[in-house]
Amino acid sequence: MQSILMTKESSAFFELRSKGDMNNIEEITKAVKKAGATRVLVQIPAGLKTKADEIATAIEKNGTEVIVSASPMYGACDLADKEAKQAGCDLLVHIGHSKFYVDFKTEVPVIYYPWEYDVKLENVDFSAINEKRIGLVTTIQHMKLLKDVSVILKKSDKEAVIGGQILGCWFANATKIEDKVDAFLFVGSGRFHPLGIKTDKPLYSLDIERNEVQKIDAMLFEKKRFANIYNAKNAASFAILVSTKEGQRNLIGRAEEIKKQLQQKDKKAFIVIMDEINDATLQGVKVDAYVNTACPRLADDAFSKPFVNASDINILLEE
């Protein structure tokens, strides 16, 4: 296990990797003790909240006070560092993700702990994949699985090209190998991550919970995207959405540019800033459509009005 300590202006972070529930908790506890924190805020994803009591108990045995955040958490762009400072904590333990690819200052130092899972793949049937060269991508928790999948694919007379980790808003590791592969295989669970890969090549998912391979219909996502753009073309008023989440809040400048673009087309537009962007929170805002400058994957959610990502504003405004 490798530990990394970095300090940048007023921001600092440790990044750790481990595996096994007890080993994960032990490593987190050691890192908190090493940091010398007196009170920590533990930020944990929904899937690991059942471990919150064990984590808090283990850390407190060393004399460190623990507060657990129960707020939704969507990624390393969504840090609870302000909440940590407000609660008098001198450290944030962010579980479930590695450090975000965009640097930003934090109110308190942050320990990023990806929490790797032990998964054993058995009797995986790759017959659904017809292509020869397969690009492998996954989330941080399952990075070690890519080598295992590579070996199994070779036994199926296929060539594996390892891309690495992807995020819901960052796909550079897929893009860099696109010219070397005939198809992509996402190793993990759910379709949130692979649907964000912009490619004309076939997409597959190896669901590690079901131990099965399925083809992903990326066209469903694209159809929804263009339907939103089409439905927003005749909108007279827009709310331009900006998130206060750490990794997204620097987009206020982009929102101001979009506001000017819309006004130049005789559209009414104003900027709305909020922490969690969802349809329920936006109820009552009297506009015809939304333009989103925050996480692009919000477009996958259900909204009662046309919802267009900032990257599609030029398509929206085409004559």
Side-chain angles (χ1 to χ4, degrees):
M1 190 275 300
Q2 183 180 17
S3 299
I4 304 170
L5 169 64
M6 293 182 65
T7 303
K8 183 175 181 180
E9 299 179 8
S10 62
S11 176
F13 75 85
F14 302 86
E15 184 167 351
L16 304 162
R17 288 177 173 80
S18 187
K19 62 181 181 179
D21 286 354
M22 289 307 299
N23 197 14
N24 279 320
I25 294 172
E26 288 173 5
E27 295 295 347
I28 292 172
T29 303
K30 289 177 183 177
V32 171
K33 184 177 181 180
K34 183 178 180 180
T38 57
R39 177 185 284 183
V40 303
L41 179 68
V42 175
Q43 186 180 18
I44 192 166
L48 286 174
K49 283 184 179 177
T50 56
K51 305 293 180 184
D53 178 59
E54 294 177 59
I55 295 169
T57 299
I59 294 174
E60 288 184 338
K61 284 181 180 179
N62 288 328
T64 303
E65 293 183 56
V66 176
I67 298 174
V68 177
S69 172
S71 298
M73 184 248 285
Y74 301 102
C77 62
D78 186 14
L79 296 181
D81 58 311
K82 290 186 179 65
E83 292 89 336
K85 187 174 182 179
Q86 289 171 354
C89 299
D90 47 5
L91 181 69
L92 170 65
V93 179
H94 180 91
I95 297 175
H97 305 101
S98 58
K99 184 181 179 294
F100 199 49
Y101 65 97
V102 175
D103 285 327
F104 48 80
K105 296 180 183 179
T106 57
E107 298 292 338
V108 298
V110 181
I111 289 177
Y112 293 87
Y113 195 84
W115 194 286
E116 293 182 353
Y117 293 91
D118 279 329
V119 178
K120 187 175 182 181
L121 297 175
E122 295 181 347
N123 302 319
V124 182
D125 182 5
F126 286 110
S127 61
I129 303 178
N130 298 318
E131 293 74 20
K132 177 75 172 180
R133 300 175 302 165
I134 313 302
L136 301 180
V137 292
T138 187
T139 55
I140 189 65
Q141 290 86 2
H142 306 301
M143 282 290 290
K144 290 183 179 179
L145 274 180
L146 295 188
K147 289 185 178 179
D148 296 336
V149 174
S150 177
V151 171
I152 300 173
L153 280 170
K154 287 178 182 178
K155 291 180 180 178
S156 301
D157 196 31
K158 298 185 185 297
E159 177 186 342
V161 181
I162 295 179
Q165 179 191 5
I166 60 173
L167 305 177
C169 59
W170 184 79
F171 305 94
N173 284 332
T175 303
K176 72 181 183 182
I177 64 170
E178 185 170 12
D179 293 339
K180 302 176 183 178
V181 304
D182 305 313
F184 284 98
L185 175 65
F186 172 76
V187 180
S189 57
R191 300 191 176 191
F192 173 83
H193 291 87
L195 276 174
I197 300 174
K198 302 299 182 185
T199 181
D200 293 328
K201 297 181 178 180
L203 287 173
Y204 297 89
S205 173
L206 168 54
D207 189 322
I208 60 172
E209 295 177 1
R210 299 181 179 180
N211 203 44
E212 64 181 22
V213 176
Q214 293 181 334
K215 189 171 184 178
I216 298 174
D217 186 0
M219 286 305 298
L220 290 176
F221 176 78
E222 286 299 293
K223 287 177 182 177
K224 182 178 180 181
R225 173 193 169 207
F226 281 101
N228 271 313
I229 295 172
Y230 176 81
N231 291 330
K233 274 190 172 290
N234 294 324
S237 58
F238 292 81
I240 306 166
L241 310 178
V242 177
S243 173
T244 59
K245 295 187 185 303
E246 293 285 6
Q248 302 170 23
R249 64 181 180 180
N250 63 341
L251 293 171
I252 187 71
R254 180 70 177 117
E256 291 170 345
E257 291 173 3
I258 292 171
K259 181 180 178 181
K260 291 179 182 178
Q261 285 180 274
L262 289 167
Q263 289 176 335
Q264 288 171 356
K265 294 290 184 177
D266 296 323
K267 309 282 189 181
K268 292 182 180 179
F270 61 95
I271 297 171
V272 176
I273 190 166
M274 55 205 296
D275 180 64
E276 189 167 346
I277 297 174
N278 56 57
D279 196 55
T281 308
L282 288 165
Q283 291 298 315
V285 178
K286 294 184 179 181
V287 293
D288 299 322
Y290 307 122
V291 178
N292 170 47
T293 69
C295 176
R297 302 313 306 282
L298 286 168
D300 294 347
D301 295 344
F303 287 87
S304 55
K305 296 174 183 177
F307 189 95
V308 179
N309 279 330
S311 57
D312 289 325
I313 191 66
N314 291 332
I315 300 176
L316 172 67
L317 296 177
E318 284 178 351
E319 297 293 344

